[in-house]
Structures are given as C-alpha cells and as structure tokens.
Amino acid sequence: IAAAVWTGGLVLLIVAVFPATAGLPSVERVRVLAPVVARFSNLAMIAVAVLVLTGTYRGWVEVRAVSALVEAPYGLTLIGKLAAFAPLIVLGAVNNRWLKPRLQRAIDGAPDARALSLLRRTVTVEVALIVAVLGITAVLVNLPPARTTVVEAGPFAQHIMLGDQAVELTVEPNRVGENTVTMMVADHHGHDAAFDALQIRFAMPDRGIGPLVVDATQTAPDHYVVRGHHLSVPGMWKLHIVGQVDRFSDVSTDVTLHVQR
C-alpha cells in the first residue's frame, strides 16, 4: 500500500498534474502547484518510512545471516534492490527538504519557476528508479529465501517427534568428518528404555550416497548416541530415524541436515 501511494503519486504528477497546468504562466503555475506538491511530499515521506520499516523486517525474515546476504542469490539481488532504492531516499529528501520550501514560498509572493523545473526532473528520475526497483523485486520474489540456501556453520539441533515421544536431536560439530549424533528423549524419567532400539539411516540422494544404516548406542534409558564418519561430504543429508517401540512395531521420521565443510 505504501509503495502504491508513493509510486502512484509520482506517476500522477508526471502524467496529469504537470500537463494540466502547462498552459498557465510560469509564476501562476508555481502558485497552483506548490500546495499540491507540498501535500504529496508529506504523504510520500510517510509512505517511504513505512516501506523502510516493513522492508527491513521482511529482509531480516528472509535472510537472517550476514553470510546469506553475500553468498546467496537472494541476498545479492536484495543488495541490488537496496542500491537502486537508496538514491530514491536521497531524491525524496531533496524534494521534501529543499524544493518543497522553495515552492511554498511562491504562496507568499516569492515565486520560483526554476524550482518547478527541477522538481519535474527529480520526479522523472524517481519514477525511473522505481521501475528499476520493481524489476529487481520481480526477480527477487522468484528466488528461494537466502535463509534456506545458506546455513550458518555450527552444531545442528532440532526437536523431532518419534511416534508420541518428543526427541531432542543434536549433531556436533555438523562438519565433514567425525560427528556425534545425540538423541535425548524429552520428559522420559522411567527406568525402562524409551525405545527398544534406535537406528539412523544416513543418505544423500542427490549424490547417490546411502542409506548408511547405523544402530545407536543407548547410554541411558532416555539417551542414544551415534558416533562416526558417516557424514562424509558437505551438503544436504537426509537422516531417516527409526525407533523400535516393541518387538512388532516401530516409528520413524526424516530430518534434513546441512553439513558444513
């Protein structure tokens, strides 16, 4: 809505307001347009403030990490959008803080016809930059969010459900080489094991790796561990976790894991 108010107002100035007063003497034209431009400029500043606030929040939601901003296609495209948007902020500030007062002085009997010519040129440049921003935005909305394509390095932790049991899964250090996969059954305080057995099947379908089937070692009734070099290459791994509930039934779930170099 804020973008529509701002962009629509600028286009209306160019295609309707300026041509409608083209037949007036320059001094009279400035006096007619000055209050119109002043009101729109104030409204545009509010719209820009809303755009900055909402855009900053949306950018944080879609990017989350500095590394994603500079490594992912989404982040690089967003930087391009910001590069085109920054001059718009500058031009808007010039119009509001410098040209608008010059036009308003026309109402008090000190018309400045040159200010109107400068305003027309800056508004035209603003519209051209907005078209560029809209074009970049059209590309941006078709890219996967940066937070999904670049993952911060470090241990992996996720809450999963195995049947009706809540399990805290951690992978450390979550890098190629030896890793420790720990599965802690939450809210389990019994003396009997939460599962008769737990098994992890490591696979990387895109590379044709696996599944590598590994039985977890039970270190406590609610604690299971897998150690080894099963995560052998960087990238997206699929962990298929199977818990044997009793002799005749089991439960399972899948976890997607991004392994760092």
Side-chain angles (χ1 to χ4, degrees):
I1 294 173
V5 169
W6 183 26
T7 306
L10 289 172
V11 173
L12 193 62
L13 285 176
I14 292 176
V15 303
V17 176
F18 290 154
T21 58
L24 297 174
S26 60
V27 174
E28 183 63 23
R29 189 183 187 198
V30 171
R31 286 176 176 163
V32 170
L33 289 178
V36 176
V37 171
R39 286 196 295 270
F40 170 71
S41 182
N42 292 336
L43 184 62
M45 292 300 289
I46 296 173
V48 170
V50 172
L51 279 174
V52 170
L53 290 174
T54 56
T56 299
Y57 172 73
R58 182 60 183 272
W60 175 80
V61 168
E62 301 293 359
V63 177
R64 296 293 180 97
V66 174
S67 61
L69 190 64
V70 297
E71 295 177 14
Y74 186 99
L76 294 173
T77 306
L78 180 59
I79 290 175
K81 180 180 177 179
L82 294 175
F85 188 77
L88 284 169
I89 300 293
V90 175
L91 287 173
V94 168
N95 288 340
N96 186 267
R97 309 306 299 176
W98 185 63
L99 284 176
K100 186 183 78 172
R102 291 180 66 176
L103 289 171
Q104 286 180 313
R105 284 195 292 270
I107 301 174
D108 301 325
D112 189 348
R114 191 171 61 176
L116 186 60
S117 177
L118 290 173
L119 176 66
R120 189 186 305 111
R121 286 198 290 269
T122 59
V123 169
T124 302
V125 173
E126 281 188 78
V127 171
L129 286 171
I130 286 175
V131 170
V133 169
L134 291 175
I136 296 172
T137 302
V139 175
L140 198 63
V141 298
N142 286 290
L143 293 174
R147 57 183 167 78
T148 65
T149 55
V150 176
V151 180
E152 286 287 279
F156 173 87
Q158 185 170 313
H159 175 87
I160 62 174
M161 294 298 297
L162 270 177
D164 58 359
Q165 297 276 15
V167 177
E168 297 297 331
L169 172 73
T170 61
V171 181
E172 297 180 284
N174 190 27
R175 291 186 179 276
V176 171
E178 185 175 10
N179 283 271
T180 299
V181 182
T182 303
M183 292 166 286
M184 176 75 73
V185 182
D187 301 323
H188 178 80
H189 306 292
H191 296 292
D192 296 330
F195 296 98
D196 288 353
L198 265 180
Q199 184 185 84
I200 301 180
R201 301 171 186 175
F202 298 86
M204 182 180 275
D206 293 344
R207 299 281 293 273
I209 301 175
L212 309 174
V213 181
V214 184
D215 292 323
T217 301
Q218 183 180 347
T219 59
D222 58 355
H223 195 265
Y224 301 81
V225 176
V226 170
R227 292 186 178 91
H229 293 75
H230 312 99
L231 302 173
S232 54
V233 296
M236 301 303 296
W237 283 80
K238 177 182 176 182
L239 276 57
H240 183 66
I241 303 170
V242 181
Q244 185 178 347
V245 178
D246 54 43
R247 185 177 177 182
F248 302 102
S249 62
D250 57 39
V251 291
S252 64
T253 189
D254 291 326
V255 175
T256 300
L257 173 68
H258 189 282
V259 178
Q260 309 295 319
R261 291 188 179 277

